[in-house]
Amino acid sequence: MAFFISQAMFFIIPLLIVALAGMFSEKSGTVNIALEGLMVIGAFVGTFFVNRMQAIGFLDGAPQFLLIISLLLAGIGGAVFSALLGFLAINMRANQVIGGTALNLLAGALAIFLARQLQENNAVQISYNKEVFRLKSGFLEDIFPNINYIFFDQAYITLYIGIIILIISTIVIYKTKFGLRLSACGEHPEAAQSVGINVYRYRWTGVIISGFLGGLGGLVYALPISVSFEGTVAGYGFLALAVLIFGQWKPMRILLAAIFFGMFKALSVTFFSFDWISNLIEQYESVIPFGTIFRILPYLATMVVLAISSKKSKAPKASGIPFNFKGN
Amino acid sequence: MNKTYENLVSFLKKAKDKTKVYYKKLRSNDSFNAITGAILAIFIGLLFGVILMVIINPDNAREGISRLFKGYLNDPRGGSIGFAKMLTSATPIIFTGLAVAFAFKTGLFNIGASGQYTVGLFAAALVGILGDKLNSFQWIVAVLAGMASGFIWGAIPGIFKAKYNVHEVITSIMFNYVAMYVVNGLLNSDYLKTKVINGTTNRTIAVDQNARTSYGFFDTMFPNSGLDISIFIALGTAILIYFILNKTVFGRELKSVGLNRDAAKYAGVNEKKSIILSMAISGMLAGLGGALFILGPSVYNLGNVYAVENVIAGAGFDGIPVALLASSNPIGVIFSTMFVAYIEIAGGPMQSVGFVKEIVDIIIAVILYFSAFALIMTQNLDKIGTIFKKVKFKKKKKDDINHLETKAGEN
């Protein structure tokens, strides 16, 4: 069980961060289909930086510090990339779904192109050593070995960064002038403009925050689950979009939705670690394709839950609708 | 003398007015704007690619760029074989492009062409490999099986959209992964593994000769290029879809639901049925593409195969840029697919002079990015004209003021 929860964390935290990324953009009124692309860019920038720094032995003694720097760089990479979405959606008032799709295509091609261009032998894979980033702390080891295993031994610092981002996002959205104005721009931009809020500026800020968190989330996703990055995040950005919808654009509900999907996703890679499932598999292996069922379960569960929750969608009303400021 | 001059002036004036009217008519024509927008986007995308190539490898840039623009002419077996190969690789993309375009015309964004393509391919492959008792009907049954499974797979996101209000982008993306895992799981099942999969390569075996698409007369025209009659089926389907969308009541109904669901409902269209049918037909087109791909005889009649890897089919995603570049016009899809195939076929030859083939993917993505606001760009083309007018006007005003000032000075 401890192994399952610790694995689930590797799926829950990035889903949470990236869904929050989508939330900032959509709250301000811009649909962000490009989350997948933002993750790819962030994962590329972050893993490439880690790869190079580990190669020259930079910060070998302080891996956590190196990880934090690469997370920041991944975020900046995502923020820069998201400017393309901002320009298209806010300034050019273009179709955001088409633009987001273009950015998803561009991100994948760009990551592979840059990886090949910047590495020896045209290699696509960016390899890194993730083990050094584990916290490996013995805190609470004697009293609660399982809790220690999940939160302090096998965990990465990204777990706590995710929680901090959640708390800050909740406060910013609900308790600050900025957050309330941001939401206003996504609900009724004309009204916001009429009381002197610069809708364009708030939408741009929303998209850039979205890009930063999306890029950061990309690295948070890519780092723990593999030993190399290959230019794709396997549809995780879209899963995060589903989490955002299931979470009804509210931070705490997004957390619950992320836990729900993260559990299913983790189950699809760790189902063999449960004794009773292993027993079931042994008995009915020839009749029921367990592997396939567990692999498609996260997607089917998403669909069922969305079918139940989408009837009364609380999406920001002006999200996806270009704002046209008609001056004097 | 004077009269002829006057005649000439009035003629020129008339001609000018006529061109103005004609130009205005052209400007308000949607397809004209779409085509100008697409060409503008293509121009910017190619320019971007060229600049990128000059920056990353200035020494080989000249050769690389010339290979990019030569497209199929790079083929070592000559331009005509290259052309045939280009058509071969374009055929499945025409279908997935039509799938995306059809859905888009009816107000739906089908990102699930990849999954529908995969299930169509899988069903056709099963019939093509296991259905040897069907004899000469094997091909037809395989194609129908591919279309039917694509239809069903496409209908699912439609049902979720119509009945539960779940956005089709999310559903169709999810069902890409479900399709890939289900197909791979089935291919790895005890029953199919020995019959359908080549154990050493982990790919499907080629379909029976009876199930393969005919080369038609292409075999003698372009020997061993892989080009078969599916290109005609693709062209025919594009024309058929254009006809259905624009000339039939059924197509109008589907489009009206896309434009305004509530209004269509009020006008008596069964909007839920329309949404489901739109997605299902879109899926059927993608499934047909998958089926015709796997049934294709391929180069040297070796047959095509499907690799069992956990990666969703790229052909489905290639359909998105070609459909959007064509502004979802079915006939336009043919041209945009040809263009994309033209520069994509240059990817290989570019690689041998030191340019990674992803440059082509980047160019296509940049083109799609700019085509997203191509319409706004073309509208701004007019604005450039008005800007010039404004400059002139300002200058005139300034001259007037100067004139007045000098007058005032005189007094």
Side-chain angles (χ1 to χ4, degrees):
Chain A
M1 198 63 194
F3 175 65
F4 169 70
I5 294 177
S6 126
Q7 285 292 314
M9 288 298 180
F10 300 148
F11 294 105
I12 293 169
I13 296 300
L15 272 182
L16 171 68
I17 296 175
V18 179
L20 287 171
M23 183 192 75
F24 273 101
S25 169
E26 300 208 358
K27 278 265 181 200
S28 75
T30 308
V31 166
N32 199 341
I33 296 270
L35 287 176
E36 176 94 356
L38 293 171
M39 285 181 79
V40 169
I41 293 294
F44 167 76
V45 173
T47 51
F48 185 69
F49 182 72
V50 169
N51 168 297
R52 282 301 131 111
M53 292 305 121
Q54 284 182 338
I56 60 167
F58 179 69
L59 286 178
D60 261 357
Q64 299 309 336
F65 191 58
L66 173 61
L67 181 56
I68 289 172
I69 296 177
S70 19
L71 283 168
L72 285 176
L73 286 177
I76 292 169
V80 171
F81 194 69
S82 72
L84 290 173
L85 178 71
F87 175 67
L88 179 135
I90 302 163
N91 296 65
M92 299 310 282
R93 299 195 282 278
N95 184 323
Q96 298 167 8
V97 178
I98 299 179
T101 308
L103 292 184
N104 286 334
L105 290 175
L106 182 62
L110 202 62
I112 296 175
F113 165 75
L114 288 173
R116 284 194 192 217
Q117 212 66 47
L118 297 171
Q119 298 194 109
E120 293 88 38
N121 306 327
N122 278 348
V124 174
Q125 292 186 332
I126 305 168
S127 51
Y128 49 83
N129 176 9
K130 65 174 177 183
E131 288 306 316
V132 294
F133 298 124
R134 286 198 200 274
L135 289 174
K136 295 260 185 252
S137 159
F139 187 63
L140 293 180
E141 193 175 7
D142 304 328
I143 325 165
F144 302 112
N146 279 346
I147 288 182
N148 173 66
Y149 180 85
I150 297 166
F151 290 99
F152 302 107
D153 183 50
Q154 291 296 302
Y156 298 86
I157 200 166
T158 51
L159 168 63
Y160 300 98
I161 290 175
I163 294 169
I164 292 169
I165 289 174
L166 172 70
I167 294 168
I168 293 177
S169 304
T170 316
I171 295 172
V172 165
I173 286 293
Y174 289 125
K175 301 285 173 198
T176 64
K177 198 166 83 179
F178 169 79
L180 295 172
R181 286 183 168 183
L182 192 79
S183 305
C185 292
E187 288 294 341
H188 203 317
E190 287 80 10
Q193 184 86 45
S194 72
V195 293
I197 296 171
N198 188 336
V199 175
Y200 289 115
R201 197 194 290 162
Y202 274 90
R203 286 199 167 177
W204 261 103
T205 317
V207 169
I208 296 294
I209 294 174
S210 178
F212 184 85
L213 292 180
L216 192 148
L219 182 60
V220 172
Y221 165 78
L223 195 77
I225 58 150
S226 173
V227 290
S228 66
F229 175 68
E230 287 169 39
T232 169
V233 292
Y236 231 69
F238 292 102
L239 217 51
L241 214 54
V243 165
L244 175 64
I245 296 170
F246 178 37
Q248 295 283 324
W249 294 266
K250 289 182 180 134
M252 281 304 162
R253 282 196 62 168
I254 289 173
L255 172 68
L256 294 178
I259 291 172
F260 177 81
F261 295 128
M263 293 281 203
F264 272 110
K265 194 76 192 168
L267 196 63
S268 72
V269 289
T270 62
F271 62 88
F272 50 83
S273 73
F274 290 92
D275 286 341
W276 61 277
I277 296 180
S278 304
N279 288 339
L280 268 182
I281 292 174
E282 257 174 49
Q283 271 184 326
Y284 299 106
E285 201 172 21
S286 52
V287 205
I288 303 168
F290 283 99
T292 306
I293 289 177
F294 280 111
R295 277 194 198 100
I296 63 174
L297 212 51
Y299 302 100
L300 292 185
T302 310
M303 291 320 308
V304 171
V305 165
L306 283 182
I308 295 167
S309 66
S310 277
K311 276 270 179 194
K312 43 180 195 326
S313 167
K314 292 205 174 55
K317 283 194 189 65
S319 190
I321 302 164
F323 178 64
N324 193 0
F325 176 47
K326 299 174 198 77
N328 312 305
Chain B
M1 179 72 197
N2 220 353
K3 211 175 179 186
T4 38
Y5 176 73
E6 263 171 24
N7 275 347
L8 192 71
V9 167
S10 72
F11 173 76
L12 280 177
K13 216 179 171 187
K14 260 187 197 163
K16 200 184 161 191
D17 287 347
K18 253 191 185 168
T19 25
K20 247 189 182 169
V21 170
Y22 184 66
Y23 179 72
K24 260 196 178 162
K25 218 172 156 188
L26 209 60
R27 291 292 318 167
S28 58
N29 184 332
D30 284 345
S31 33
F32 171 79
N33 283 336
I35 292 169
T36 352
I39 290 172
L40 203 62
I42 287 172
F43 176 75
I44 294 172
L46 287 175
L47 189 71
F48 183 85
V50 166
I51 292 170
L52 189 67
M53 286 165 81
V54 172
I55 291 171
I56 56 172
N57 193 346
D59 297 338
N60 288 347
R62 186 188 265 272
E63 180 60 23
I65 292 164
S66 98
R67 287 187 184 199
L68 171 69
F69 285 105
K70 267 166 85 182
Y72 63 83
L73 294 170
N74 287 308
D75 199 273
R77 279 165 64 202
S80 70
I81 299 289
F83 181 70
K85 279 187 182 167
M86 182 186 88
L87 293 183
T88 310
S89 68
T91 311
I93 317 294
I94 294 180
F95 284 105
T96 52
L98 284 175
V100 178
F102 184 82
F104 210 74
K105 276 279 176 195
T106 58
L108 298 159
F109 200 41
N110 180 13
I111 307 197
S114 176
Q116 296 140 12
Y117 179 88
T118 309
V119 293
L121 183 157
F122 173 72
L126 281 195
V127 177
I129 295 166
L130 301 174
D132 32 15
K133 288 202 180 93
L134 295 162
N135 295 326
S136 53
F137 287 107
Q138 199 176 358
W139 183 76
I140 297 289
V141 176
V143 168
L144 290 178
M147 286 168 79
S149 42
F151 187 87
I152 294 167
W153 210 256
I156 299 170
I159 293 169
F160 272 97
K161 167 92 175 183
K163 303 237 156 158
Y164 304 109
N165 198 25
V166 186
H167 203 288
E168 73 280 3
V169 166
I170 299 289
T171 333
S172 53
I173 255 293
M174 298 282 164
F175 274 80
N176 281 340
Y177 289 93
V178 175
M180 183 260 291
Y181 285 127
V182 166
V183 165
N184 289 359
L186 287 173
L187 286 174
N188 275 323
S189 66
D190 290 342
Y191 179 70
L192 289 180
K193 194 159 191 170
T194 47
K195 288 177 180 159
V196 178
I197 297 284
N198 177 340
T200 47
T201 59
N202 205 24
R203 288 155 190 257
T204 56
I205 56 175
V207 299
D208 296 346
Q209 278 300 339
N210 265 337
R212 293 211 187 146
T213 330
S214 157
Y215 274 123
F217 56 85
F218 291 128
D219 204 18
T220 45
M221 258 169 93
F222 311 107
N224 297 321
S225 64
L227 188 60
D228 58 48
I229 56 157
S230 11
I231 184 73
F232 289 128
I233 301 176
L235 300 179
T237 311
I239 294 165
L240 183 70
I241 292 297
Y242 179 83
F243 183 78
I244 288 175
L245 277 174
N246 296 305
K247 307 283 176 206
T248 64
V249 177
F250 174 65
R252 290 284 161 120
E253 275 185 10
L254 294 186
K255 282 208 294 195
S256 72
V257 174
L259 286 172
N260 190 334
R261 200 174 155 173
D262 298 321
K265 191 178 171 185
Y266 186 70
V269 179
N270 185 342
E271 100 285 10
K272 286 188 177 170
K273 197 179 121 197
S274 287
I275 288 172
I276 298 169
L277 258 183
S278 288
M279 282 303 276
I281 292 172
S282 168
M284 183 176 77
L285 292 169
L288 177 60
L292 288 177
F293 167 76
I294 203 73
L295 299 175
S298 175
V299 187
Y300 296 108
N301 205 19
L302 295 173
N304 288 318
V305 292
Y306 170 80
V308 186
E309 289 161 8
N310 283 344
V311 181
I312 54 179
F317 279 96
D318 293 342
I320 299 171
V322 299
L324 297 178
L325 189 59
S327 299
S328 300
N329 182 320
I331 307 296
V333 166
I334 298 171
F335 293 103
S336 62
T337 309
M338 290 306 163
F339 167 75
V340 169
Y342 182 89
I343 59 169
E344 238 167 24
I345 210 166
M350 271 163 62
Q351 235 161 350
S352 52
V353 282
F355 294 98
V356 298
K357 64 174 188 297
E358 277 75 23
I359 289 177
V360 174
D361 296 334
I362 292 177
I363 293 173
I364 293 168
V366 171
I367 290 172
L368 181 57
Y369 178 79
F370 280 98
S371 66
F373 50 88
L375 218 58
I376 291 151
M377 285 196 295
T378 47
Q379 280 160 4
N380 284 352
L381 281 183
D382 278 0
K383 266 192 197 152
I384 293 169
T386 46
I387 288 168
F388 277 122
K389 264 184 200 158
K390 265 185 195 163
V391 171
K392 247 188 190 167
F393 183 67
K394 268 187 188 162
K395 214 176 155 194
K396 209 176 165 192
K397 231 180 177 177
K398 225 178 180 180
D399 287 347
D400 284 351
I401 291 166
N402 284 342
H403 187 66
L404 283 177
E405 276 172 353
T406 44
K407 255 194 172 173
E410 272 168 21
N411 288 341

